[in-house]
Amino acid sequence: MPRRPTLEFWYEFASTYSYLSAMRIEALAEAADVELRWRPFLLGPIFAAQGWTNSPFNLYPAKGRNMWRDLDREAARFGLPPVTRPNPFPQNSLSAVRVATYGADQDWLVPFSKAVFETSFAKGSSIAEPAAVGRILDSLGLDGTQILKAAASEANKSRLKVAGEEARSRGIYGAPSFLTGDGELFWGNDRLEQALAWAAGDRPDGLR
Amino acid sequence: MPRRPTLEFWYEFASTYSYLSAMRIEALAEAADVELRWRPFLLGPIFAAQGWTNSPFNLYPAKGRNMWRDLDREAARFGLPPVTRPNPFPQNSLSAVRVATYGADQDWLVPFSKAVFETSFAKGSSIAEPAAVGRILDSLGLDGTQILKAAASEANKSRLKVAGEEARSRGIYGAPSFLTGDGELFWGNDRLEQALAWAAGDRPDGLR
């Protein structure tokens, strides 16, 4: 039996368009018969390597203003609740990304990740403090205290660092990003459908 | 009789995604029953005000690599010929933008603009020198020499400068951009369909 094609979904909890992808990728992947691999990572070090010490949406105010308006429009188009703007933006996602990295092979990775995004962009609550992340874990019936402690271990920190190096070495420069089994990179929520189609073998004529 | 809704299409000849929009906007606008207003402008001064002295696709190499690949994919998806990469990229678009500005109210604006984009991104020829722009005008049965001269007048240079100031004052920070009659701003070829729908009165629930 042939293996189902796979798509890697690289996401960052501070990223507005990662939120849109996280909320809609499961249904789309199921329809395309593509298996997902959720890959949390930190955008901060990648932005820092590009010389950015803040979100480009803050560094370039006109771009930021339009992004928030676009996010409102896109959320409405996808049937998501009205967007709340995390304050401050971007949220410090270190604690949540550490937990997601620790949970990479756990069946709670996806519900946890979606709950973090919803807390930030639909409920307007902070995800920055470990306590906030712990409450999200608790709300999923998990042991927040234990998981936060494990996520703060040196071994897990290393794992997160390695994921960041992998992202950079595979050409990722923003989030969300999608990588197919044959290494095709798609950037941005706007490319989610095309990434899934590519993973499923549906490619534009003349392109390999 | 009610006026047809209008959409302004702000484009820059050096911009890869402006090319994609230019080649497909007419058919989409006709289907949406929206009137187009083609608005050429220079991105350079807007980028310079953001601190960029080059294209972000050159300043950020990983982003640039993926942009060219994405452009190949998108061109194939839209049924356009394989993309050629102008050398150097970005092309100096000053002469071509001056001519388009001069031609704002002429019936040759759209065919000229599309011919410039095709010369750059489908034929792989330069659009940077006035002589190259003149040849494009000549090929359309126009008087290239006369138009280039008129386009270089102080009055026309002022007009181009005013257009750039208008772009900035209306929130434009990149190209292509789309502005509806009620001032809704959409950025990027990926938003062309939504911009037309908005112009035609089709808006997501809960948004005005």
Side-chain angles (χ1 to χ4, degrees):
Chain A
M1 206 174 83
R3 273 185 63 190
R4 285 172 79 199
T6 301
L7 185 70
E8 292 177 48
F9 167 37
W10 288 76
Y11 61 100
E12 154 58 274
F13 291 121
S15 150
T16 49
Y17 291 101
S18 292
Y19 161 61
L20 296 185
S21 285
M23 302 318 288
R24 65 199 199 94
I25 195 169
E26 290 174 294
L28 291 170
E30 198 179 307
D33 200 24
V34 168
E35 202 159 317
L36 291 175
R37 192 164 164 226
W38 290 56
R39 303 290 316 263
F41 76 120
L42 279 175
L43 212 38
I46 287 179
F47 279 0
Q50 296 179 168
W52 295 341
T53 53
N54 195 338
S55 163
F57 298 124
N58 292 339
L59 293 172
Y60 308 111
K63 191 181 176 76
R65 273 190 296 276
N66 190 248
M67 180 279 288
W68 288 112
R69 179 64 175 169
D70 186 62
L71 201 69
D72 288 342
R73 290 188 307 238
E74 292 289 273
R77 192 160 72 91
F78 297 134
L80 295 171
V83 170
T84 56
R85 304 188 186 184
N87 184 13
F89 173 82
Q91 289 277 291
N92 183 338
S93 57
L94 180 61
S95 180
V97 176
R98 277 187 185 159
V99 165
T101 300
Y102 173 73
D105 304 315
Q106 306 294 320
D107 57 11
W108 52 260
L109 172 65
V110 174
F112 168 74
S113 298
K114 289 168 67 180
V116 173
F117 278 121
E118 287 179 308
T119 299
S120 189
F121 294 110
K123 293 179 192 157
S125 301
S126 177
I127 59 160
E129 307 76 29
V133 176
R135 278 192 296 275
I136 294 170
L137 288 163
D138 291 342
S139 75
L140 296 167
L142 300 162
D143 183 341
T145 307
Q146 181 272 321
I147 291 177
L148 277 172
K149 196 179 157 196
S153 70
E154 290 306 317
N156 193 55
K157 287 183 195 172
S158 291
R159 211 170 155 196
L160 175 53
K161 204 178 157 199
V162 167
E165 284 159 8
E166 182 187 346
R168 198 156 27 204
S169 75
R170 294 174 75 190
I172 290 177
Y173 54 93
S177 287
F178 308 98
L179 270 164
T180 64
D182 59 348
E184 192 75 12
L185 173 66
F186 296 82
W187 170 60
N189 178 57
D190 293 326
R191 290 292 175 276
L192 172 52
E193 284 83 352
Q194 282 106 302
L196 285 165
W198 188 284
D202 177 15
R203 284 142 208 214
D205 284 348
L207 281 191
R208 269 171 307 179
Chain B
M1 207 173 85
R3 272 185 63 188
R4 285 172 78 199
T6 301
L7 185 69
E8 291 177 49
F9 168 37
W10 288 76
Y11 61 100
E12 155 56 277
F13 291 121
S15 152
T16 50
Y17 291 101
S18 291
Y19 161 60
L20 296 184
S21 285
M23 301 318 289
R24 65 198 199 93
I25 195 170
E26 289 173 294
L28 291 170
E30 197 180 309
D33 201 24
V34 168
E35 201 158 321
L36 291 175
R37 192 165 163 222
W38 290 56
R39 304 288 316 262
F41 76 119
L42 280 175
L43 213 39
I46 287 179
F47 279 0
Q50 293 178 171
W52 296 340
T53 53
N54 195 339
S55 163
F57 298 125
N58 292 337
L59 293 173
Y60 309 110
K63 191 180 177 75
R65 273 190 295 277
N66 190 250
M67 180 279 288
W68 288 112
R69 179 64 175 170
D70 186 61
L71 200 69
D72 288 342
R73 290 188 306 239
E74 291 289 273
R77 191 161 71 90
F78 297 134
L80 295 171
V83 170
T84 56
R85 303 188 187 185
N87 183 15
F89 174 82
Q91 290 276 290
N92 182 337
S93 58
L94 180 61
S95 180
V97 176
R98 277 186 185 161
V99 166
T101 301
Y102 173 73
D105 303 316
Q106 306 294 319
D107 55 11
W108 52 261
L109 172 67
V110 174
F112 168 74
S113 298
K114 289 168 69 180
V116 172
F117 279 121
E118 287 180 308
T119 299
S120 189
F121 294 110
K123 295 181 190 156
S125 301
S126 177
I127 59 161
E129 307 75 28
V133 176
R135 279 193 296 277
I136 294 170
L137 288 164
D138 290 342
S139 76
L140 295 168
L142 301 163
D143 183 343
T145 308
Q146 182 271 322
I147 292 177
L148 278 172
K149 195 178 158 198
S153 70
E154 289 308 316
N156 193 56
K157 287 183 194 172
S158 290
R159 213 171 153 194
L160 176 52
K161 204 177 157 201
V162 168
E165 283 159 9
E166 182 187 346
R168 197 157 28 205
S169 75
R170 294 174 75 191
I172 290 178
Y173 55 92
S177 288
F178 309 98
L179 270 165
T180 65
D182 59 348
E184 191 75 12
L185 172 66
F186 295 82
W187 171 59
N189 178 57
D190 294 327
R191 291 292 175 276
L192 171 52
E193 284 83 351
Q194 282 106 301
L196 284 165
W198 188 284
D202 177 15
R203 284 142 207 214
D205 282 349
L207 282 190
R208 269 171 305 176

